[in-house]
Amino acid sequence: MRRALGAVLAVATLGCRAPAPGGLTLLFLGRSPAASLNGLSWAPDPDHSRVVAFDGRLHIVRQLTSPRLATPMAAAPLGATELLITERTGEGVVLDTAGRPAREWDSPDVASLYAAAGGRVVAVRSPYYVPQLADPEPDTAPLIRVLDTLGRPIAGLATIRRPALPLLGYLVNAGAVAAASDGSVYYAPLVRDEIRKYGPGGELRWSAKRGLEGTESDPVFLPPPKGSTELRVRSRLVNVALVLGPDGRLYALGSDDSSATRLRVDVVDTATGAIVATRHLGERVAAVAVDRDGALALSDGDSLLAAAAPAAGGREPFAPAFALPDLRGDTVTLAAFRGKVTLVNFWASWCDPCREEFPHMAGLYREFDRKDVAIVAISDDVDAGKMRAFVRQFQPPFPILVGGGRMKQTYHYRGLPYSVLLDREGRVVERIFGFGGGEEFRNLHATIAKEVGVP
């Protein structure tokens, strides 16, 4: 799940002047598009399952976290007060700027990427989560879906491109998207050297190319390595993300090479499709911003994120507080763990990563004194027999509580396993989405040890 943002880049501009102090708008953080709303730039930070807001000096002034934010990959403004966040797996999550969830919806594609402007939401097949093989779609399937603000498809724009091998259709039609307030939509396919502008009704206004070297071709299957049955596909990764800047120009984050390791930003005139400037980022992934005069500025994304101050208002309380039966039928409450650093884990017997995670949790539990640290694992199984069989197999040394299949509806987490580390006051220290293996638990051990040392 985690991905590094790259090494340090010195701040630089396309021109010879320094960027105007306090006048920067963030366009991209790593490979994710940012959203400009209410004077701030809001960007997803997938490594930390949050959305962060930058002021004009690229200082983080707000942080939004939620169980609904597992791996946020893109942000777009939705109206004057809300943010539309794209999850890596394609769900759309709408938050207000205080971090309160307004609504969410499932992906209309295997995984979708969203953009919004002028009260209209559009979705394309996401470049952030691309199945290598997918069921072929009909020739008439829309390339771009138009959604209402509840995430329901209401129309389609343009049609998909059918590759020679229909099973690769998702890869061929995945791409980046941006929406304008006049109804125009900009689309750039992941694997082709092309950027397109569509009018509000889906008519093609222009198509532009970066002029990359090499022959363009559809993705094709490669012979498997000797002695292997692994499927491999040859494709050229070209376009990563699109953003409309405050100057009205389109900014395209793309690749100079076939594997998207050497990135570039192209500045595009939205009236004609002409590329008016290009900035090569090399192998480093940066934070890309633009100043009031249209000059690009590059900063090190890791450094920007590391400078984040504690979230305003301190840690949030874990809510709602649970009161659930254990395996003997006795009610166990969250209040019973007050005074201890507590890991609340949600799991289910049908969750394979949960099976991998349980031995690590048992080991972690044995490494700390019971007076300081607790683990409570809440099953979201509907089938009590399967839950008890799982417990008999793993014999966890920590308490098991019975959620009865109601936990996702109550806590709104993205998937299982899902854990929340609480401090001694029952406030959220960290949310952990999925199972990250031994390294994740070594980091978790260090975090718990630090919390134990806090009076």
Side-chain angles (χ1 to χ4, degrees), residues 127-197:
Y128 298 109
Y129 183 77
V130 182
Q132 194 166 57
L133 300 176
D135 292 335
E137 296 183 83
D139 294 347
T140 55
L143 176 67
I144 301 164
R145 303 182 197 275
V146 180
L147 315 179
D148 65 17
T149 54
L150 296 177
R152 298 175 299 200
I154 55 176
L157 303 178
T159 55
I160 62 168
R161 185 173 182 273
R162 286 277 285 203
L165 294 172
L167 290 175
L168 298 177
Y170 193 102
L171 176 60
V172 167
N173 292 287
V177 67
S181 57
D182 66 357
S184 300
V185 180
Y186 301 88
Y187 166 78
L190 175 65
V191 296
R192 292 189 69 80
D193 180 10
E194 191 175 11
I195 303 171
R196 305 177 205 157
K197 178 180 181 178

Side-chain angles (χ1 to χ4, degrees), residues 337 339-341 362-375 397-399 424:
F337 299 93
K340 298 181 180 182
V341 178
L364 182 70
Y365 189 65
R366 295 185 180 104
E367 291 169 356
F368 290 98
D369 195 310
R370 299 289 187 275
K371 69 179 177 61
D372 292 317
V373 176
I375 294 178
F398 41 79
R424 295 181 187 272

Side-chain angles (χ1 to χ4, degrees), residues 109-252:
D109 292 300
V110 175
S112 294
L113 169 68
Y114 306 98
R120 186 164 87 155
V121 177
V122 295
V124 297
R125 294 153 188 82
S126 174
Y128 298 109
Y129 183 77
V130 182
Q132 194 166 57
L133 300 176
D135 292 335
E137 296 183 83
D139 294 347
T140 55
L143 176 67
I144 301 164
R145 303 182 197 275
V146 180
L147 315 179
D148 65 17
T149 54
L150 296 177
R152 298 175 299 200
I154 55 176
L157 303 178
T159 55
I160 62 168
R161 185 173 182 273
R162 286 277 285 203
L165 294 172
L167 290 175
L168 298 177
Y170 193 102
L171 176 60
V172 167
N173 292 287
V177 67
S181 57
D182 66 357
S184 300
V185 180
Y186 301 88
Y187 166 78
L190 175 65
V191 296
R192 292 189 69 80
D193 180 10
E194 191 175 11
I195 303 171
R196 305 177 205 157
K197 178 180 181 178
Y198 290 101
E203 65 279 11
L204 182 63
R205 296 285 177 84
W206 51 252
S207 177
K209 291 183 178 294
R210 289 188 170 94
L212 300 179
E213 295 181 4
T215 303
E216 189 111 293
S217 64
D218 278 346
V220 296
F221 286 110
L222 296 172
K226 188 175 182 179
S228 171
T229 58
E230 177 188 1
L231 287 175
R232 298 189 302 164
V233 175
R234 183 181 67 203
S235 61
R236 182 182 214 174
L237 303 182
V238 180
N239 295 299
V240 177
L242 296 176
V243 170
L244 281 166
D247 54 0
R249 299 189 295 185
L250 181 69
Y251 292 83

Side-chain angles (χ1 to χ4, degrees), residues 41 46 48 63 81 88 117 119 125 129 132 136 170-171 224 228 256 274 289 322 332 355 369 402 445:
S41 300
H48 299 96
Q63 302 179 55
T81 60
R88 177 177 177 269
R125 294 153 188 82
Y129 183 77
Q132 194 166 57
Y170 193 102
L171 176 60
S228 171
D256 267 333
F322 57 77
V332 177
R355 293 178 173 273
D369 195 310
V402 181
H445 183 284

